[in-house]
Amino acid sequence: MRTKIEASNVHLHYGDFHALKGINMQIPERTVTALIGPSGCGKSSYLRLFNRMNDLIDGVRIDGKVLIDNTDIYSIPQSEVDRLRRKVGMVFQKPNPFPKTIFENVAYGLRVNGLKDKKVIGEQVEKALRQAALWEEVKDKLKKSAFELSGGQQQRLCIARAMAIEPSILLMDEPASALDPISTGKIEELIYELKSNFTIIIVTHNMQQASRVSDYTGFFLLGELIEFDETKKIFRNPEKQQTENYITGRFG
Amino acid sequence: MISFPKQVDREKRLHQAIAFWIARIISYSILLILFLILFFILKRGIGVINWEFLTAMPIDGMTKGGILPAIVGTLYLVLMSMIIAFPVGVLSGIYVNEYAKEGAIKQFVKMMTNNLAGVPSIVFGLFGMALFVNRLGFGASILAGSLTLALLALPLIIRTTEESLKAVDDTFRHASYALGASKLRTIRKVVLPIAFPNIITGLILGIGRVSGETAPILFTVAAYFLPKLPQSLFDQAMALPYHLYVISTSGTNIQASRPIAYGTAVILILIVLGMNLLANFVRSHYSRKVKMK
Ligand SMILES: Nc1ncnc2c1ncn2[C@@H]1O[C@H](COP(=O)(O)OP(=O)(O)O)[C@@H](O)[C@H]1O
Ligand SMILES: [Mg+2]
C-alpha cells in the first residue's frame, strides 16, 4: 500500500510547552488509523498538524517534516494552505454545523471552492449526504435549519459537509464523544464504509471503538508516540508495557 | 451521612425571594418613570399635532405654524450620519476583532474607542466646527453636522460590532477554515451573518443617540430659523432637538410656543421610536436568516 501521510521527527511547542516530542509515523492510503492515549497527551495537537489548523493558534512552533502525498505541507506557500485543507477534511469533537440550512451547510465548502453551477452543487450535496448515511433522514427538510437535527444527525451532517468537497483524507477528533450509543454506532459504521475512499485518522477515547474501526493504532503518552502498529497487534500483544497498561485500563 | 439543618434551605429561599423582589420593584419603577414621562409629554403635546403642524413652516416667530423644516432636518441628519457611521464603524469593529493582533496597539485602540464614547457631546460639536465647518470649509451644513454626529455614534457602533463578533463561537470559524475557506470568506459568509442581528443593535443605539443630540449640531448645522427646506448637503438645516431648545428658551414668546414645544417633543420621540422599530424589523429579518433554531 502507498504511504499517504508521513510524519518524521515532528515536534510541536505551544510557547515553551513541548506538546509533541519527535513523532514518527507512516500511514498507508485508504486505511483507518486510531489515535489513543490519556487526555492532554497531544492527540488533538497531532491531528491538527495535517490540515495546519495549529497555524491558527498563537505561539505555536512546529519542527520536523509532515508529508502528505510526498509533499512537505509545512514548506508550501501560505496561499496553498487553503488548498491543502480542501484535500484534508476535518470533523470536530463537538458537532458544529453552521447556523444555516441543512443544504447550505453541505453546499458551503463547494461554494467556497468556486463551484457555482446549481445543478452540480445539488448533486454533490445529495451525494455527500448519502455517503454520510443522512440523506433519507433529511431529504424532505433540506431547507430547515441544521440546528433542528439531533446531535448525532448534526455530526453526520458535519461529516457530509467535510466529504462534499471530496478530500482524500478525513481527520476526526473524537467525533462520537458527545453522542449517544446509537448515534455512535452509526458513525462507526460510516467510518468503516468510508475507508474505501478516504484515508482516515480518528482520535478516540474509547478502546472498543479503536479496535472496532481501525486498521492501525497509535498510542500517545505525554507528547510521545509510544507505539504505532496494526490495531490487532496493539490490542493483542503490544510491545510496550505502557501500551498494555493503558488498554487494559490500568491507568489514564 | 451528615444531616443538613432544614432551616438553611428555607433561609436560602427567603433570601432569593427578597433579592428577586427588589430587582423586580426597581425595574418596574424604571418602566413607570419612563411611562410617566411619555404620558406627560403626550398629554401636553398631542393637542397641537395635526396635518398642518407636520407639513407647515413655523410662522409668527415660531409661535404658530408647523415644524416641517425641523422634521426634515432631523431625518436628513440621522440618515446621513448613519450612512457614514454604520459602514465605517462595522468595518473598524471587524478590523479590531478579526484582524488586529492581540497586543499593545489593539489595547490602545480599544481604550481610545471607549474614551471616545465618554467624551461629552459638546466637545464633538466644537471639534466638528473646527474640522468640518472651518478647516475643511463645509460651512455650517448638513454634511458637517452629519459627519459630527457620525463621529459621536462611531464608538457605539464599533463597540457593538466588536462584541457581536466576539460572541460568535470560534468553532464556526474553524469549521469554515477546515473547508479551505479564506479568512475574508469566513468573515463574510459565516461570522458576519451570525453577528449581524446584534450589530444592528449598534445601529439602533446610534440612531437613538444621534437623533436627540443638540450640542453637536449647534455649531455645525443647526439653524435658528430657516424659511425654506434644505436643498443640498451644503445647506444649513433646522433640527427637532435644537428647535425644541430654541422655542423653549429663546423664542420671541416662550409662553405662546409652549404647546408647540411639547408637540415637537412628541414628534421627536415618535421619530426615534419609529426608527427603532424599523431597525428592530431589520434585525429580526436577519436573525431569521441565521438558522440558529
Ligand atoms: N492552544 C493551546 N495552547 C497551549 N497549550 C495547549 C493548547 N492546546 C493544547 N495545549 C496543551 O497541549 C497538550 C496536548 O493537548 P491536546 O493535543 O489537546 O491533547 P489531547 O487531544 O490528547 O487531549 C495539553 O497539555 C494541552 O494543555
Ligand atoms: Mg483532544
Side-chain angles (χ1 to χ4, degrees), chain B residues 233-249:
Chain B
L233 283 180
F234 294 97
D235 283 352
Q236 269 192 288
M238 294 176 70
L240 287 169
Y242 183 58
H243 186 62
L244 189 54
Y245 171 72
V246 165
I247 55 181
S248 34
T249 58

Side-chain angles (χ1 to χ4, degrees), chain B residues 180-286:
Chain B
S182 65
K183 184 160 189 168
L184 184 62
R185 180 97 189 190
T186 301
I187 292 172
R188 269 180 45 219
K189 296 291 177 177
V190 176
V191 179
L192 264 187
I194 299 174
F196 209 67
N198 288 332
I199 293 179
I200 301 282
T201 312
L203 184 68
I204 299 177
L205 291 173
I207 289 174
R209 175 114 204 243
V210 157
S211 49
E213 283 288 349
T214 314
I217 56 175
L218 206 54
F219 320 118
T220 55
V221 51
Y224 184 83
F225 173 73
L226 285 173
K228 62 179 180 48
L229 295 179
Q231 305 297 310
S232 85
L233 283 180
F234 294 97
D235 283 352
Q236 269 192 288
M238 294 176 70
L240 287 169
Y242 183 58
H243 186 62
L244 189 54
Y245 171 72
V246 165
I247 55 181
S248 34
T249 58
S250 59
T252 43
N253 185 347
I254 293 176
Q255 279 316 316
S257 46
R258 270 284 182 254
I260 294 194
Y262 283 111
T264 307
V266 171
I267 299 300
L268 181 55
I269 290 173
L270 288 182
I271 286 182
V272 174
L273 275 180
M275 291 199 185
N276 281 357
L277 280 181
L278 182 73
N280 261 315
F281 176 78
V282 174
R283 181 193 153 94
S284 72
H285 170 76
Y286 280 105

Side-chain angles (χ1 to χ4, degrees), chain A residues 43-45 93 173-174 203:
Chain A
K43 307 178 296 290
S44 298
S45 305
Q93 183 162 358
D173 195 347
E174 306 191 35
V203 172

Side-chain angles (χ1 to χ4, degrees), chain A residues 161-227:
Chain A
R161 180 176 68 184
M163 287 188 317
I165 52 175
E166 302 187 339
S168 58
I169 296 172
L170 208 51
L171 310 173
M172 302 177 138
D173 195 347
E174 306 191 35
S177 64
L179 305 182
D180 61 88
I182 293 177
S183 307
T184 303
K186 283 192 181 153
I187 303 262
E188 284 180 15
E189 263 172 53
L190 188 57
I191 293 170
Y192 202 81
E193 302 266 314
L194 293 177
K195 186 166 80 167
S196 50
N197 289 316
F198 299 89
T199 305
I200 297 174
I201 310 182
I202 175 172
V203 172
T204 175
H205 252 113
N206 179 325
M207 292 308 109
Q208 283 83 30
Q209 189 171 66
S211 66
R212 275 195 299 263
V213 302
S214 69
D215 307 296
Y216 296 89
T217 296
F219 170 58
F220 283 79
L221 192 61
L222 296 173
E224 286 177 73
L225 179 62
I226 303 296
E227 193 167 349

